[in-house]
Amino acid sequence: MMSAQSPVRARILDSAGRLFGADSIRSVSADKVIADAGTTKVTFYRHFRSKDHLVVAYLDGQLDDLRAAAEAQRTAGGDACAVLLRLAAANGEIACRPGFRGCTFINAAAEYPADGVVRDAVERYRTWLHEVVTGLLVELGADHPDVVADQLIMLRDGAMVHGFMGDPAAVADALVTAGRAIITAHLPAQQHP
């Protein structure tokens, strides 16, 4: 097995990420990634057993980046509510970027069947996200934190789709405002943000 630190592997993943972001995961062939990365099929398949395994490595890398960003939000200070609001604002800003094509994980879930390694990678992300949001809601003392986490994640998912299909400029403020309303509805009165 090749090291995750291999420069060739990193170059292939960089090419895949750029191509997946510009088009769609399914429409980008392994041959297109190979050509963009300036490598050979033999080298590609030495690092990835299949295109699906490349997609999994790409998604897992995206999850690692999100974990680091969430941890940075936690260490930036403030209570759990402040962290949730900063995460919502960051998601809104992502949806407002030029060229935004929707959430990588939602897109992958839409493009791949439910019973494969790619959907397993999407599920790892969804599980992590739910755990982070639920943990913050528990810290806040929210009623039914699992249910509220589901509501906030549905709101985030909708914002990502709206950022791609609707008016991206409206996403950031709307996401924070709606998220604050959901959280407030489930907190004791003295804790309203």
Side-chain angles (χ1 to χ4, degrees):
M1 176 164 233
M2 303 306 290
S3 165
Q5 301 303 317
S6 163
V8 173
R9 180 182 171 91
R11 193 170 71 236
I12 293 168
L13 282 167
D14 287 345
S15 289
R18 193 172 49 261
L19 294 168
F20 295 160
D23 203 350
S24 71
I25 295 171
R26 280 291 231 201
S27 68
V28 174
S29 68
D31 287 340
K32 190 170 184 176
V33 173
I34 290 165
D36 189 77
T39 190
T40 66
K41 284 185 180 186
V42 170
T43 300
F44 176 88
Y45 289 109
R46 189 176 303 137
H47 291 275
F48 304 100
R49 290 190 314 211
S50 67
K51 181 189 166 198
D52 285 358
H53 287 90
L54 168 66
V55 173
V56 168
Y58 166 71
L59 293 174
D60 285 346
Q62 295 292 305
L63 177 53
D64 289 344
D65 291 347
L66 290 169
R67 284 180 174 139
E71 185 56 34
Q73 291 297 328
R74 292 287 291 165
T75 58
D79 65 3
C81 185
V83 173
L84 281 167
L85 291 172
R86 285 195 308 266
L87 290 172
N91 273 284
E93 289 168 13
I94 288 168
C96 295
R97 282 189 326 235
F100 179 70
R101 294 191 33 82
C103 170
T104 301
F105 295 96
I106 292 172
N107 293 346
E111 293 181 44
Y112 281 85
D115 61 344
V117 293
V118 172
R119 287 296 289 274
D120 292 344
V122 171
E123 187 57 34
R124 281 192 294 279
Y125 160 74
R126 301 293 288 181
T127 299
W128 168 81
L129 181 61
H130 195 273
E131 288 171 356
V132 167
V133 173
T134 301
L136 290 165
L137 291 165
V138 167
E139 283 182 43
L140 284 173
D143 295 332
H144 312 291
D146 282 340
V147 173
V148 178
D150 287 340
Q151 293 170 353
L152 292 172
I153 291 168
M154 282 190 282
L155 177 65
R156 178 247 175 234
D157 291 347
M160 295 295 100
V161 172
H162 187 76
F164 173 57
M165 298 186 70
D167 177 13
V171 173
D173 289 339
L175 182 58
V176 170
T177 300
R180 185 185 301 270
I182 291 170
I183 293 168
T184 299
H186 294 278
L187 290 178
Q190 70 274 12
Q191 288 184 305
H192 287 185

